[in-house]
């Protein structure tokens, strides 16, 4: 039905081609960094597919025309705002926390791709010398270091090496490779064997490694409780130059490998801050971490702090600096003592996934300056530039992005294409009846503790910007540690929706 013949109160959803959207969403989700590269600009935990939000916006345009105003009062990952900005629609986005709000504003900021690439190269050049911290005695470079947690038994006082699986890692992702490394819980050494074997003889202590046996408890007496006592480096991925390309080889730790580290809390005062108790952060505390710096090695923290200092000192626009900073800050999600290793695909995973802080006894330290590897700073800066190219190619002129707070004093600005507000959406920086369509994704009751997950990023963001203010008390989420209930959740969500209704035009949706 053409827009002109639709009833004024007609809903939008029936005018979406859901079968076509489903096909586009499936393609997008197969490789988000290609189809929606802005997902790499800052970390968020519940992003809807861009193709779905784009389809909803197109339906809204067909109803209200291209001059409509869009609002997303729970903007989070910013998918609605990105797609609206690409279509040249006037858009309002609001989130309680500085991390997603500032990240969204940075990802939409106007700057030159050439300036961005030059600034990225300048920052990487300033950090180049710090790659030597991962240099081996032979002159090679380590891209990853795998460590197993050591724990002391409360009964026999002996050490158990807590390999979560006997098969620690295959040696190659190649389907023809048959080798794997197996970990000994008695002595902490790894032994090369066939990945299909059921039993392995430890090449160090001679003990039997039963691949299918349960791996919990003390391996010596099976009586006492295990108390974490430290970490032992067991495997490293080494980069070597082979003709015109780098090759990565996973191997056991060798004498002279740079695997020792000091507390990262000494690198910057912010990292010595206590990890507060919480529904999700209690997972970190129960794993033996007490301050945020405990999650990192000193060299990881040194690289991140030095990168932020290099960005701050650039002679570049704030738009460039912020885009670089948020790309770099994303590398903070790869803590050396929290990131996990995919033992069959040979790559690290973030310390936060599936809306939780990870709990694992086999961790991987990423060399954040490595030229290869998932989630490194060079790759993140490249992804941030690709996202800029993607946005510029989507529209004729760059959007005018303005940031504010709901309680900002003075006359409301109207010279914006995108208005990003930090603070509770129970009060929104919009005039009554000024919005045509609200498209939003409210918090998932108690399933995602956004504030607690963002705590780690807020610690790092405060190094870049010491003036950020975080108020978790206004988050709409039941949380036993914080003392909030389902009733509190309902009241906050209802207040936010009432405020959105105030901003909505009489014929709005």
């Amino acid at each position: 039905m053409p827009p002109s013949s639709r009833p004024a109160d007609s809903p939008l959803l029936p005018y979406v081609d859901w079968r076509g959207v489903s096909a586009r969403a499936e393609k997008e989700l197969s490789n988000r960094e290609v189809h929606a590269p802005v997902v790499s600009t800052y970390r968020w935990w519940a992003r809807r597919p861009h193709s779905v939000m784009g389809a909803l916006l197109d339906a809204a345009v067909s109803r209200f025309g291209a001059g409509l105003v869009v609002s997303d009062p729970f903007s989070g990952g910013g998918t609605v705002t990105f797609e609206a900005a690409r279509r040249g629609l006037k858009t309002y986005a609001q989130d309680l926390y500085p991390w997603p709000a500032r990240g969204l504003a940075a990802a939409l900021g106007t700057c030159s791709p050439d300036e961005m690439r030059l600034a990225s190269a300048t920052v990487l050049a300033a950090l180049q010398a710090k790659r030597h911290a991962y240099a081996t005695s032979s002159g090679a470079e380590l891209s990853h270091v795998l460590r197993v947690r050591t724990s002391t038994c409360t009964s026999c006082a002996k050490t158990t090496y807590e390999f979560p699986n006997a098969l620690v890692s295959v040696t190659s992702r190649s389907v023809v490779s048959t080798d794997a490394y197996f970990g000994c819980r008695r002595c902490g050494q790894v032994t090369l064997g066939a990945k299909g074997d059921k039993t392995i003889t430890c090449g160090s202590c001679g003990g039997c490694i039963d691949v299918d046996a349960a791996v919990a408890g003390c391996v010596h007496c099976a009586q006492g409780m295990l108390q974490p006592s430290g970490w032992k480096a067991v495997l490293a991925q080494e980069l070597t130059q082979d003709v015109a390309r780098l090759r990565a080889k996973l191997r056991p730790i060798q004498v002279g490998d740079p695997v020792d580290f000091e507390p990262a809390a000494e690198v910057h005062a912010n990292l010595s801050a206590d990890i507060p108790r919480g529904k999700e952060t209690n997972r970190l505390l129960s794993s033996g971490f007490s301050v945020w710096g405990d999650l990192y090695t000193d060299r990881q923290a040194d690289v991140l702090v030095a990168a932020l200092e290099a960005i701050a000192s650039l002679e570049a626009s704030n738009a460039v600096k912020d885009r670089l900073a948020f790309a770099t800050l994303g590398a903070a999600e790869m803590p050396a003592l929290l990131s996990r290793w995919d033992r069959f695909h040979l790559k690290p995973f973030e310390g936060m996934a599936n809306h939780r802080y990870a709990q694992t006894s086999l961790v991987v330290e990423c060399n954040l300056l490595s030229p290869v590897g998932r989630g490194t700073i060079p790759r993140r800066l490249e992804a941030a530039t690709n996202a800029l190219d993607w946005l510029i190619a989507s529209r004729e002129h760059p959007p005018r992005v303005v940031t504010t707070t709901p309680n900002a004093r003075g006359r409301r600005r109207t010279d914006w294409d995108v208005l990003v507000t930090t603070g509770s959406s129970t009060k929104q920086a919009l005039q009554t009846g000024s919005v045509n369509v609200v498209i939003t994704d409210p918090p998932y009751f108690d399933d995602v503790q956004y504030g607690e997950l963002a705590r780690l990023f807020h610690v790092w963001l405060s190094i870049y910007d010491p003036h950020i203010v975080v108020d978790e008390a206004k988050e709409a989420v039941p949380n036993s540690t914080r003392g909030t209930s389902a009733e509190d959740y309902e009241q906050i969500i209802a207040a936010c929706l009432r405020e959105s209704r105030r901003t909505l035009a009489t014929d709005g949706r």
Side-chain angles (χ1 to χ4, degrees):
M1 183 183 299
S4 58
S5 60
R6 293 182 194 170
D9 60 349
S10 64
L12 299 180
L13 299 185
Y15 300 100
V16 175
D17 174 15
W18 291 109
R19 187 179 298 277
V21 171
S22 180
R24 292 194 297 275
E26 183 177 5
K27 182 178 181 181
E28 174 189 337
L29 294 176
S30 68
N31 193 335
R32 285 195 174 205
E33 289 192 359
V34 171
H35 298 287
V38 288
V39 299
S40 300
T41 53
Y42 68 95
R43 172 72 160 171
W44 199 242
W45 296 277
R47 281 188 168 103
R48 302 282 73 78
H50 282 248
S51 49
V52 174
M53 295 306 174
L56 294 175
L57 289 166
D58 290 339
V61 169
S62 72
R63 167 66 179 83
F64 297 104
L68 84 165
V69 177
V70 180
S71 173
D72 181 358
F74 302 104
S75 57
T79 311
V80 172
T81 309
F82 285 126
E83 288 304 311
R86 293 179 69 200
R87 288 162 171 77
L89 305 178
K90 199 175 183 72
T91 310
Y92 178 83
Q94 183 161 345
D95 198 276
L96 174 62
Y97 291 117
W99 171 251
R102 288 281 302 274
L104 175 59
L108 289 167
T110 302
C111 60
S112 160
D114 290 338
E115 185 184 7
M116 180 71 180
R117 289 183 172 85
L118 177 60
S120 296
T122 302
V123 171
L124 292 177
L127 300 174
Q128 181 67 18
K130 296 190 179 296
R131 289 176 61 183
H132 296 314
Y134 291 90
T136 68
S137 56
S138 65
E141 182 178 7
L142 300 185
S143 63
H144 300 88
V145 178
L146 278 67
R147 295 181 175 88
V148 64
R149 184 169 63 196
T150 62
S151 292
T152 303
C153 177
T154 58
S155 178
C156 68
K158 293 183 179 180
T159 297
T160 291
Y161 298 86
E162 293 194 74
F163 290 103
N165 303 97
L167 194 160
V168 178
S169 180
V170 297
T171 60
S172 170
R173 286 183 294 179
S174 171
V175 293
V176 299
S177 175
T178 60
D179 294 334
Y181 289 108
F182 297 83
C184 178
R185 289 170 57 84
R186 290 180 176 274
C187 71
Q189 297 299 312
V190 293
T191 299
L192 186 65
K195 59 185 179 184
D197 288 348
K198 296 300 182 182
T199 58
I200 300 290
T201 300
C202 175
S204 178
C205 70
C208 178
I209 303 173
D210 187 340
V211 175
D212 295 327
V215 293
C218 175
V219 71
H220 304 284
C221 71
Q223 301 296 320
M225 300 289 292
L226 294 178
Q227 294 184 335
S229 57
W231 300 90
K232 174 183 172 63
V234 292
L235 288 169
Q237 186 162 272
E238 182 181 86
L239 302 178
T240 56
Q241 192 73 40
D242 181 12
V243 191
R245 59 175 293 186
L246 281 172
R247 290 194 176 275
K249 178 184 178 182
L250 191 68
R251 60 164 177 76
I253 298 298
Q254 299 174 354
V255 175
D257 282 342
V259 296
D260 295 333
F261 62 92
E262 298 294 331
E266 298 179 5
V267 176
H268 195 281
N270 290 37
L271 299 179
S272 63
D274 290 340
I275 298 173
R277 299 196 65 79
K279 184 175 180 179
E280 293 304 328
T281 48
N282 281 349
R283 296 165 65 87
L284 301 177
L285 297 172
S286 65
S287 295
F289 304 112
S290 59
V291 300
W292 291 107
D294 289 344
L295 306 179
Y296 302 85
T297 62
D298 55 330
R299 55 189 172 185
Q300 273 193 326
D302 183 45
V303 165
L304 286 167
V305 171
L308 295 176
E309 291 175 346
I311 292 168
S313 65
L314 284 172
E315 293 184 2
S317 66
N318 288 334
V320 168
K321 290 183 180 181
D322 284 353
R323 189 177 289 272
L324 289 172
F326 273 87
T328 300
L329 287 165
E333 67 180 335
M334 310 297 287
L337 304 181
L338 201 64
S339 298
R340 301 150 297 142
W341 183 251
D342 187 320
R343 57 193 178 131
F344 295 111
H345 294 91
L346 304 182
K347 62 182 180 181
F349 282 111
E350 302 83 1
M352 289 173 283
N354 300 320
H355 310 157
R356 303 288 183 267
Y357 285 106
Q359 284 184 305
T360 180
S361 54
L362 181 73
V363 296
V364 52
E365 175 182 2
C366 300
N367 172 356
L368 297 180
L369 294 175
S370 170
V372 301
R374 188 173 179 271
T376 64
I377 290 176
R379 291 190 65 175
R380 289 176 187 273
L381 296 184
E382 181 182 7
T385 305
N386 291 340
L388 176 62
D389 291 336
W390 176 80
L391 185 62
I392 290 175
S394 303
R395 49 182 296 152
E396 186 176 354
H397 302 291
R400 295 169 298 174
V401 181
V402 174
T403 59
T404 188
T405 63
N407 299 309
R409 295 182 179 180
R411 185 179 178 182
R412 295 287 187 198
R413 292 181 58 177
T414 59
D415 58 334
W416 48 267
D417 297 316
V418 179
L419 181 60
V420 180
T421 303
T422 304
S424 172
S425 289
T426 56
K427 184 174 183 179
Q428 300 174 26
L430 285 168
Q431 294 179 345
T432 299
S434 61
V435 172
N436 299 105
V437 62
V438 176
I439 301 179
T440 195
D441 189 6
Y444 287 178
F445 194 57
D446 65 346
D447 187 54
V448 186
Q449 301 288 329
Y450 291 106
E452 291 190 21
L453 293 173
R455 283 173 181 174
L456 179 142
F457 291 112
H458 283 139
V459 167
W460 284 101
L461 179 57
S462 65
I463 295 176
Y464 178 65
D465 180 4
H467 303 295
I468 68 164
V469 177
V470 180
D471 184 3
E472 293 186 8
K474 295 181 179 179
E475 183 177 356
V477 63
N479 184 301
S480 55
T481 304
R482 199 179 299 162
T484 54
S485 64
E487 184 179 358
D488 296 315
Y489 169 84
E490 291 174 3
Q491 290 177 350
I492 295 176
I493 292 293
C496 292
L497 296 180
R498 280 195 300 271
E499 177 68 353
S500 288
R501 182 65 186 88
R502 176 191 67 79
T503 70
L504 202 61
T506 54
D507 64 342
R509 293 290 172 270

